Amino acid sequence: MKILHMISGGDKGGAKTSVFALLLALNEEIDITVACFTEGVFYQEVQELPVKSEIFKQKFRNDLSVIPRLCKYVRQNGFDIIHAHGARANFICMMLRPFVKIPMVTTVHSDYKLDFTDRFYKRFFYTALNTVALRTVDYYIGVSEEFRKMLINRGFEEGRVFSVYNAVDFKRELSYCEKAEFLSRYGVSDYKDKTIVGIIGRFDYVKGHDVFLRAAAEVLANEPNFLFLMAGEGAEEQNLRKLADQLGISKNVIFTGFVTDIFSFINAIDINVCASRSESFPYMLLEGAMLKKATVSTAVGGIPELILPDDVSLGFLVPNENHKILAEKIALYANNPQMRDLHGENLYIRAKNNFSKESLQKKSIEIYKEILRKEKAEHRVFDIMLSGYYGYANSGDDALLDAVIKALRREREDLSILVLSRNPQETMRDYGVFSIHRLNFLLMRRYMKRTRLIVYGGGSLMQDITSTRSLVYYTFLIHMAKYMGMRVMLYGNGIGPLTKARSAKKARRALEICDYISLRDPASLDYIKKIGVKNPNVEVSIDPVFSAEITDTAPPPETPTTPYFAVSLRPWQHNEPNFIEKIADAINFAASEYGLMPLLIPLHMMDVSILKETAKRLTCDHIVLQKVYDYKDITAIMSDARFAMCMRLHALIYAVGVGIPIIGLVYDPKVANFITYINEKTQVDTSSLDLAALKVMIAELMQNPTVAKERITKESERLRKLSGEDAKIAVGLL
């Protein structure tokens, strides 16, 4: 999976810690990138992590000039999901929504109705804007079960809301200074007989620092040997300082400011306190648990899922805004150091077992998978778009399609595949995939927005010998796919011939921008070098049909029961004038000399006419198949033949696949290239057919058929091993 995380870039404190923990956990398993919009604390520190990051710098909070660049970046990098964190990222998602057709998810780290309470204009404008933006996002993750329920109660669709608890890496080596060193920063040297109580969080009404100070006053009224440390900053700081003065406790309260080495703060305190009026699942408690600190907290948000209400050995939960009970529990810990240590140890064990980095990683990836599954089901989102000469009732191309689909699904069973076909209904029926018409460009463009990779699954697609229109179609598709942010792979393709200079130029431009090119023979590699292609991601493989599984399919009933050989012909404008007569002569020779019956096999309906014309000139018993059989049936026919004499490339491939000796009737360079690739010499040119040489080849095959069969079988095994790599590469490109 490839996920783009978006966050403002200025976040610090709990928000930064939360997202950093998630990024580090996910980065071990999936491909993630972080996009920031300001060069603040978060952006500066994320660059020190082993995580990819990008800056899309905004001039001001609602600057929309970054949207076009961000759209292009998302398309070019083929992200599966955009994951937002915070109000600014939610707003960016809302602006991207019309242009980017991938699922968007946001983590709700806090109650969004209470995020902007420090200024009236922020509360009026930003809270309203964030509320609207949230409704445009597809999925939601609350950082506690309570937050998930809160979102559902506010009208968010239950099936689109998940929960993942914040977590920390308990295997991480913590770095912090000694207690004395930390306290000395704030002029504290006399602390030996004092109980030190700490609270961490931005100075905001929602965090309940005023409740904390009133509890401190209650404690200090009975026992002066306490220090209360407040780590954080924010708009409420001056009001809180005034409150401490009014309560007469200023000398026992230390405002530390924002603490960068938070574990030094936690190490220095004896009791960790959360007095929040609203919370999600605060990191300050998990970080305290890592150092085994006893904890007193208000029972808000997801906190009761860490400190269980019915297990008093984990810590104390107190009612919201009740400073008297908060003071009572702080004093209880101060007077019972053994209880304090035991509760700290128990909280550490619970947090480690239930809120570790591993649990965060596993749950988050499960959610991503569920989102992608839902998107595929609801919106027809696809992993791979397959393009080729599909839907033309051509046995070879049908075999290619079947072989490629099965090879890809052997690599990843859950792949969703879309096929471009001349006959979509038939393709969907026969192959169990979704299909659209190969010339429906409007529909194709719509689905390209929802598909990661286009695969040219076999065949000679980059050629102009049959038609320049074919070359224009396939090269245009490559450029269109790249523009839409897709990756492009040629999968076991043949290249050429290209008879026109402009055709070569068109093919070169398209091939240069492909992400990976797998060629079915070395001659195709030589050809793309000849036309100037400099793409480094090119390898020689083999025709995808070699990856097809050989089954024990029974041959059709028309198959001879006596020994036979197979013949495959096709009409071709460059066949020599006496081609049919010479081929018929060669067939009669093989039949009479070796007692074999010729079986004439069409791989396309256009082949039937030339096979019938040839049959009229035969003086031996023969059979002409009257329809195009499935490639499995043709493979079954080939497996019992003594040899195969074929024009069609895939007829030769079927024969070699089952270890049958072949003679190639070369009408196109691809036939000669294949025969050369498998280290055979049995080929004749159909444009000037040498009948004598053809008869010699037949005789040599029949003189020692066992040796010929063993040689072909060995080549078949070599090629079959090669064919498995392309599917791995295609899935890798996802």
Side-chain angles (χ1 to χ4, degrees), residues 50 69 132 215 323 370 375 444 512 514 516 519 567 570 574 586 686 689:
R69 183 184 159 213
V132 172
H323 68 274
E370 177 66 9
E375 288 295 302
M444 198 184 302
E512 285 284 10
C514 291
Y516 192 85
L519 302 172
V567 178
R570 62 159 293 168
H574 302 298
T686 65
L689 198 147

Side-chain angles (χ1 to χ4, degrees), residues 166-170 174 200 262-263 266-267 269-273 281-296 306-307 314-315 340-356:
N166 286 335
V168 287
D169 184 1
F170 280 87
L174 301 181
I200 305 165
I262 198 63
F263 286 105
I266 295 170
N267 181 58
I269 65 175
D270 300 304
I271 302 168
N272 192 21
V273 172
F281 193 77
Y283 257 92
M284 56 178 288
L285 298 188
L286 287 176
E287 290 168 334
M290 292 179 79
L291 289 184
K292 303 181 180 180
K293 296 298 176 179
T295 303
V296 183
L306 171 65
I307 304 172
L314 295 170
R340 190 170 70 209
D341 292 344
L342 176 62
H343 287 192
E345 180 72 31
N346 291 342
L347 188 63
Y348 167 82
I349 294 169
R350 172 157 176 76
K352 183 179 180 181
N353 290 341
N354 295 278
F355 305 99
S356 65

Side-chain angles (χ1 to χ4, degrees), residues 352-398:
K352 183 179 180 181
N353 290 341
N354 295 278
F355 305 99
S356 65
K357 181 185 76 172
E358 290 74 21
S359 63
L360 173 67
Q361 179 191 85
K362 180 181 178 183
K363 181 63 175 176
S364 297
I365 292 175
E366 284 175 357
I367 289 173
Y368 290 151
K369 287 180 178 179
E370 177 66 9
I371 287 172
L372 292 176
R373 187 194 64 76
K374 284 176 176 285
E375 288 295 302
K376 288 176 184 179
E378 293 177 14
H379 303 297
R380 293 199 182 279
V381 175
F382 298 94
D383 296 304
I384 293 176
M385 179 180 285
L386 282 179
S387 175
Y389 195 70
Y390 306 138
Y392 285 87
N394 181 310
S395 171
D397 292 293
D398 290 347

Side-chain angles (χ1 to χ4, degrees), residues 4-11 15 19 33-38 42 56 58 60-64 66-67 70 74 81-97 103-109 115-116 126 129-140:
L4 177 65
H5 288 260
M6 297 197 313
I7 189 167
S8 74
D11 303 75
V19 179
T33 303
V34 185
C36 296
F37 306 104
T38 63
F42 184 99
F56 296 85
Q58 289 181 297
F60 48 89
R61 187 180 183 93
N62 298 324
D63 174 18
L64 299 181
V66 300
I67 298 299
L70 191 54
V74 169
I81 293 172
I82 293 176
H83 189 156
H85 302 271
R88 185 180 296 213
N90 294 338
F91 173 74
I92 295 291
C93 281
M94 181 171 68
M95 294 298 104
L96 284 176
R97 180 79 286 170
M104 297 180 183
V105 58
T106 184
T107 293
V108 181
H109 293 274
D115 278 347
F116 302 100
Y126 291 142
L129 188 61
N130 189 31
T131 302
V132 172
L134 279 168
R135 297 290 174 176
T136 68
V137 177
D138 302 300
Y139 299 92
Y140 310 87

Side-chain angles (χ1 to χ4, degrees), residues 45 54 107 135 173 180 277 296 309 314 331-332 401 432 484 502 505 521 537 575 596 612 642 671 687 693 724:
E45 293 189 20
E54 286 286 333
T107 293
R135 297 290 174 176
E173 185 175 340
R277 292 178 166 90
V296 183
L314 295 170
L332 183 57
L401 179 57
M484 300 304 295
R502 66 175 180 272
K505 183 178 180 181
D521 52 61
N537 302 310
N575 285 344
L596 302 176
K612 286 183 176 179
R642 299 304 169 90
V671 177
S687 63

Side-chain angles (χ1 to χ4, degrees), residues 489-503:
M489 175 183 179
L490 270 62
Y491 186 123
N493 279 208
I495 307 292
L498 297 162
T499 60
K500 304 177 182 70
R502 66 175 180 272
S503 294

Side-chain angles (χ1 to χ4, degrees), residues 18 48 94 118 177 209 248 282 290-291 322 337 356 472 482 495 500 531 575 664 687 689 701 703:
S18 171
E48 299 173 9
M94 181 171 68
D118 54 334
C177 67
H209 290 89
M290 292 179 79
L291 289 184
N322 193 322
S356 65
V472 170
K482 293 302 287 184
I495 307 292
K500 304 177 182 70
I531 64 174
N575 285 344
S687 63
L689 198 147
L701 286 180
Q703 282 171 8

